[in-house]
Amino acid sequence: MIRVLVYLVIVALLAFGAVWFAERPGDVAITWQGRRIDTSVMVLVAAVAAIAVATVMLWSILRAILRTPDAVSRYLRIRRGVRGYLAVSQGLIAVGSGDARAAKKFTAEAVRIAPREPLTLLLSAQTAQLSGDRDAAVATFQEMADRDDTRVLGLHGLFVEAQRRHDHAAALGYAEEAAKHASVPVWAGQAALEFRCAAGDWSGALDRLERNMKSGLIDKRTYRRQRAVLITAQAQAAAESDRERAIALAREAAKLAPDLVPAAVLAGRLLGEAGERRRAARIIERAWRANPHPDLAAGYAKLRPGDSARQRLSRVEALAAKGPPDAEAALAVARAALDAQEFVAVRSALAPHTASPRKRVAALMAELEMAQGDEGRAREWMARALNARRDPAWTADAFVSDHWLPISPVSGRLDAFEWKDPLAGEDHGTVIEHRAEVPAVPARVETPQAGPAPQAEPSQQAPPANEKRERAPRADAPEFRPPSAEEEQTPRAGEEDSRSPFFAGGRRERRVRAAAMANEWRAARSDMTPIVPAVIPLVHAPDDPGPNGEPPAEPEPPPPASWSRIRALFKS
């Protein structure tokens, strides 16, 4: 609406000016170099306007001609930039999708169009990595590391390649060089720290940790935890040579991370040996409240070496009362009570955890029953211990250690060990625990009296030994052999079952598959270990009466035909 009003105002002004000039006619005389020109005012105005328009057009044409080379150069440059951008973007997509052929094609085009661009160098390096050309990748990353704008990226690539060829010295050098950058990348600071830890340079690792903290690579909580781990490692290394320094370091680590069990255990042991038992007890009690652990209970019980077993039991009971009432507290009390021959206390402590016991609970119950002279129940608990869930252990990167370590021996990661179930988070299937209070009573199966067996009818006699082996395969039975070419027969109508892919192909192919599957099944059966009676098997053996006490029907003897006998093995 505003534009329409402006347009109308301009048209009105032009019309007003034209009318104003028309109502005021006049003559104009121009004398120049002896010539006189007489004209009207309207003609003069129109001539001036035409000259102005012609001048503007002439100048525009002349300027366009003068600027044509720059315009053409700019157009070609923009066109090359667009083509280079498309080549780089499509090449990166090809690298991400794993298409090495397309990546090489677009990399060659990008190198031809923009050979020195950072993205082109990155695409070239990644294409070389995808193609397995490590030398070309290293050369490209080295070129990137020599430039100021891509130095950190090139160092990161060189670091990765050095790790792939297990050149730890070169990898450490690249990480140290990248850590000198103004904005220290996280990978460089962490790598430099882990390399120092792997070399056992705990002082250098602490120095690197301080730099990571100042650079903002880690938060304060992570800094305190990692510093406590490094100081604990220092204390463990100095425990034999410099006891005073080891005590000071262990106390500092326990103060930084009260839930760090190795620091508390080491501090408690060293302080107890130095005669400062009260201070050692406070450190262990604070760690127990934060993180109950069997090493803490064991260290707390041994603070006074000359105490009797009953005194140690009283001390462990006092420690267990200071923390949460979990399984570790019950196990600590049960262990101390068993050493003190307090069998009622052992059974009372373990009672809440016997419904679905772990290995340590089952082992303690077996030891308790054995100490009380009940060998049968002790065997039952030992059998349950074989199939019970695993207890927590020091685990890092699927590696289980008997004792705590400051770094993972697999990845070199600092503070990687956790006290947890090594198989936590995995699905191990359904485990049916044996319940003593609801015993399964199988039905009585009458057994024949000893004596000569009655002579069976010819039609009811047992099949030959080889037929028995075929019906009930064993690990020591001979392998099936595919039939020879003379045994080839034309398939009869109705023999092929279209519902199963097993029966696809000719008769000889089906027999070969049947023999191979039977041999695999026999090999798997030979590797099976017997299931102890404490666990009800999910799949019953042919002679197992089953949970209801009813033996399954004996399978019918296979027909004499060889092909039907093999086919019967795979019927559902």
Side-chain angles (χ1 to χ4, degrees), residues 344-363:
V344 177
V346 178
R347 200 175 297 275
S348 175
L350 296 180
H353 307 282
T354 55
S356 178
R358 289 184 177 270
K359 290 185 178 295
R360 288 168 60 199
V361 174

Side-chain angles (χ1 to χ4, degrees), residues 175-526:
E176 292 287 354
E177 186 66 23
K180 296 178 183 178
H181 198 265
S183 58
V184 182
V186 177
W187 67 267
Q190 189 65 26
L193 175 63
E194 291 178 356
F195 275 117
R196 283 181 168 83
C197 292
D201 184 9
W202 308 119
S203 300
L206 284 170
D207 181 63
R208 182 70 260 173
L209 184 65
E210 295 289 342
R211 295 184 186 179
N212 291 349
M213 178 63 185
K214 293 179 181 179
S215 301
L217 302 183
I218 55 177
D219 55 11
K220 189 173 183 180
R221 181 179 179 181
T222 305
Y223 165 75
R224 291 174 62 88
R225 176 73 182 188
Q226 293 185 352
R227 180 175 175 81
V229 172
L230 292 175
I231 292 177
T232 303
Q234 274 189 323
Q236 288 180 343
E240 300 298 332
S241 58
D242 191 351
R243 307 279 288 188
E244 296 296 330
R245 181 169 178 267
I247 291 174
L249 291 173
R251 291 183 59 188
E252 182 183 357
K255 184 178 180 180
L256 287 172
D259 59 338
L260 184 59
V261 172
V265 171
L266 181 61
R269 179 174 65 85
L270 295 177
L271 288 172
E273 293 174 355
E276 302 182 27
R277 297 185 178 89
R278 184 172 299 179
R279 185 175 296 175
R282 286 199 301 267
I283 293 176
I284 295 178
E285 289 169 2
R286 184 171 67 246
W288 179 269
R289 285 191 292 268
N291 187 9
H293 193 275
D295 292 347
L296 294 173
Y300 197 79
K302 297 177 182 178
L303 284 179
R304 297 180 181 272
D307 288 351
S308 64
R310 294 184 182 274
Q311 290 175 327
R312 290 196 297 270
L313 173 59
S314 300
R315 188 177 300 109
V316 171
E317 287 178 340
L319 177 65
K322 297 179 183 296
D326 59 356
E328 290 298 339
L331 286 168
V333 172
R335 180 71 267 174
L338 190 60
D339 294 339
Q341 300 295 314
E342 295 287 345
F343 301 135
V344 177
V346 178
R347 200 175 297 275
S348 175
L350 296 180
H353 307 282
T354 55
S356 178
R358 289 184 177 270
K359 290 185 178 295
R360 288 168 60 199
V361 174
L364 281 174
M365 287 299 298
E367 191 173 350
L368 171 64
E369 299 294 350
M370 186 65 72
Q372 289 185 323
D374 193 343
E375 185 176 353
R377 294 186 64 83
R379 289 179 179 274
E380 178 184 353
W381 278 109
M382 285 189 290
R384 295 184 69 180
L386 293 176
N387 297 276
R389 292 176 298 166
R390 291 197 58 169
D391 292 288
W394 289 116
T395 307
D397 301 323
F399 177 84
V400 181
S401 175
D402 295 335
H403 56 279
W404 177 84
L405 296 173
I407 62 173
S408 169
V410 178
S411 61
R413 185 163 49 94
L414 179 66
D415 191 24
F417 276 91
E418 300 178 77
W419 183 255
K420 66 176 185 179
D421 183 357
L423 303 179
E426 298 184 8
D427 184 12
H428 310 292
T430 304
V431 177
I432 304 177
E433 285 289 342
H434 173 73
R435 298 181 182 272
E437 64 274 12
V438 187
V441 182
R444 294 185 60 188
V445 181
E446 296 184 358
T447 58
Q449 299 293 331
Q455 185 69 22
E457 294 293 332
S459 59
Q460 298 178 353
Q461 287 182 355
N466 57 350
E467 293 187 8
K468 285 185 177 180
R469 285 196 298 270
E470 291 171 352
R471 185 179 61 187
R474 298 181 305 176
D476 56 350
E479 294 186 354
F480 282 94
R481 295 188 178 182
S484 60
E486 290 75 15
E487 296 177 352
E488 291 290 328
Q489 297 180 5
T490 305
R492 296 190 298 269
E495 279 193 347
E496 295 187 0
D497 189 356
S498 59
R499 294 172 299 176
S500 174
F502 172 78
F503 296 99
R507 172 169 294 186
R508 179 176 178 82
E509 296 177 0
R510 294 198 299 269
R511 291 187 178 184
V512 170
R513 283 198 297 271
M517 292 174 65
N519 292 331
E520 292 177 0
W521 176 80
R522 183 178 294 105
R525 183 183 177 95
S526 63

